[in-house]
Amino acid sequence: MKKLMKGGRFTPENYSAEVEERIQKYRKLDYRLPPRKILRTPEQIEGIRKSAVINTGVLDYVTENIREGMSTEEIDQLVYNFTIEHGAIPAPLNYEGFPKSVCTSINEVVCHGIPNKNVILRSGDIVNVDVSTIFEGYFSDASRMFMIGEVSPEKKKLVKVTQECLEIGIAAAQPWARLGDVGAAIQEHAEKNGYGVVRDLCGHGVGVHFHEEPNVEHFGRRGTGTIILPGMTFTIEPMINMGTYKVFINKSDGWTVLTEDGMPSAQWEKMLLITETGNEVLTY
Ligand code: MF3
Ligand code: CO
């Protein structure tokens, strides 16, 4: 592999002179810049893209097949089979001891729900299916919400506003902006609707590892946090609660995150590549 980093610089060698100059300017001003190891080389971007295409394929396959009466274990089987048939590996499987290939989180489950043959999708449920894929060593990540049967207007609104939060966050994730700009934009929209933004879990760098720098919080203040640079790949994945933002982890399985007040929670997730002119959504 060719050497892609210049000594002492933050920048991959394919940055334009303009970008290089601007980075040095911010560096002198002592702004917080991302570590160079998370700025992707063209080779890495190509690999991450391929992984992302499979990840989107898995979620499309789930979208076509998910239905009322199905167990979350069956969703796990759909994900496992599709992923393996496409020469990839489900990233959650055995990740820090996670026992399944996908996270399935229903209603008051915020995230990291473990598929189970006894958990059945019922009319009125809202369920998040969170899919992550490893292909040729590169990682991708995305999640979607599904509404099963007849869903209440309140839950429908939560799902819709959460999707808007993701899109608003994506719009704020521009090169030279700050990660605090992304969080602030999401938090404003959620709280304007009377919802709580989960604080204890965040988006993350992804691509070379499953979870890497930076942490992408879904709340915050504009003009704070790490500068967003071209070449970064990270997720935005707001978890928005109908009631309190507070959550807890189910002690008996060590994974399932639940809302403290038992009210529903929604989440949508996409993965972005920051470019010199904006961003590119890699997973849907
Ligand atoms: N896919 C989740 C995310 O968006 C992480 C799941 S970790 C697991 O970051 F182990 F629960 F799968
Ligand atoms: Co993620």
Side-chain angles (χ1 to χ4, degrees):
M1 197 194 287
K2 70 182 185 194
K3 191 165 173 285
L4 287 147
M5 302 296 180
K6 292 178 184 171
R9 299 258 185 129
F10 283 92
T11 58
E13 72 177 14
N14 60 317
Y15 276 171
S16 67
E18 209 183 317
V19 171
E20 296 255 10
E21 228 170 80
R22 204 158 166 191
I23 286 173
Q24 295 316 318
K25 191 184 91 187
Y26 284 120
R27 202 180 180 186
K28 283 195 194 98
L29 292 170
D30 224 20
Y31 279 97
R32 202 190 306 166
L33 287 158
R36 66 174 123 173
K37 66 173 183 289
I38 66 160
L39 302 174
R40 306 307 177 198
T41 65
E43 285 86 347
Q44 288 171 339
I45 291 168
E46 205 181 303
I48 293 166
R49 268 186 210 291
K50 287 189 199 157
S51 178
V53 167
I54 297 173
N55 201 75
T56 299
V58 178
L59 268 168
D60 286 345
Y61 185 60
V62 170
T63 304
E64 282 161 27
N65 289 287
I66 196 166
R67 56 179 167 74
E68 190 180 335
M70 178 183 262
S71 71
T72 53
E73 172 88 32
E74 286 174 81
I75 300 173
D76 187 69
Q77 285 159 4
L78 292 173
V79 169
Y80 180 81
N81 292 335
F82 188 100
T83 306
I84 297 298
E85 276 162 23
H86 287 78
I89 300 165
L93 191 58
N94 303 319
Y95 175 75
E96 293 183 3
F98 192 80
K100 297 285 178 176
S101 297
V102 63
C103 298
T104 50
S105 305
I106 301 175
N107 300 331
E108 73 281 7
V109 177
V110 173
C111 64
H112 301 169
I114 303 172
N116 185 310
K117 66 180 186 339
N118 298 317
V119 176
I120 308 297
L121 301 181
R122 301 283 182 211
S123 180
D125 286 344
I126 57 171
V127 55
N128 175 274
V129 178
D130 191 340
V131 173
S132 317
T133 300
I134 314 172
F135 183 67
E136 294 176 352
Y138 292 105
F139 290 76
S140 51
D141 197 0
S143 78
R144 298 180 192 167
M145 291 301 293
F146 299 95
M147 295 191 271
I148 309 299
E150 293 289 312
V151 170
S152 71
E154 292 78 13
K155 280 182 172 175
K156 277 186 184 157
K157 185 183 167 199
L158 176 68
V159 169
K160 178 171 163 278
V161 170
T162 303
Q163 193 167 22
E164 289 164 1
C165 283
L166 171 57
E167 294 307 321
I168 287 165
I170 291 171
Q174 298 298 325
W176 313 108
R178 311 284 290 266
L179 283 173
D181 302 342
V182 175
I186 292 169
Q187 183 178 13
E188 255 170 41
H189 190 62
E191 291 181 354
K192 193 173 76 192
N193 283 279
Y195 298 147
V197 178
V198 173
R199 311 276 203 269
D200 293 353
L201 297 122
C202 58
H204 52 93
V206 58
V208 173
H209 304 281
F210 194 176
H211 295 107
E212 53 189 312
E213 287 185 78
N215 284 346
V216 180
E217 291 179 337
H218 305 109
F219 61 98
R221 280 185 303 121
R222 286 197 173 71
T224 66
T226 302
I227 295 196
I228 300 171
L229 289 185
M232 290 172 84
T233 50
F234 57 82
T235 71
I236 301 180
E237 47 182 305
M239 285 144 277
I240 307 297
N241 297 350
M242 199 181 279
T244 177
Y245 69 84
K246 291 183 183 166
V247 302
F248 69 98
I249 298 177
N250 176 344
K251 284 214 179 67
S252 63
D253 66 24
W255 278 103
T256 310
V257 179
L258 295 132
T259 58
E260 197 178 272
D261 59 9
M263 288 183 73
S265 181
Q267 179 178 30
W268 289 85
E269 174 177 19
K270 287 178 180 174
M271 179 181 168
L272 303 180
L273 166 67
I274 306 301
T275 65
E276 289 196 18
T277 53
N279 66 51
E280 200 186 313
V281 177
L282 298 178
T283 54
Y284 288 89

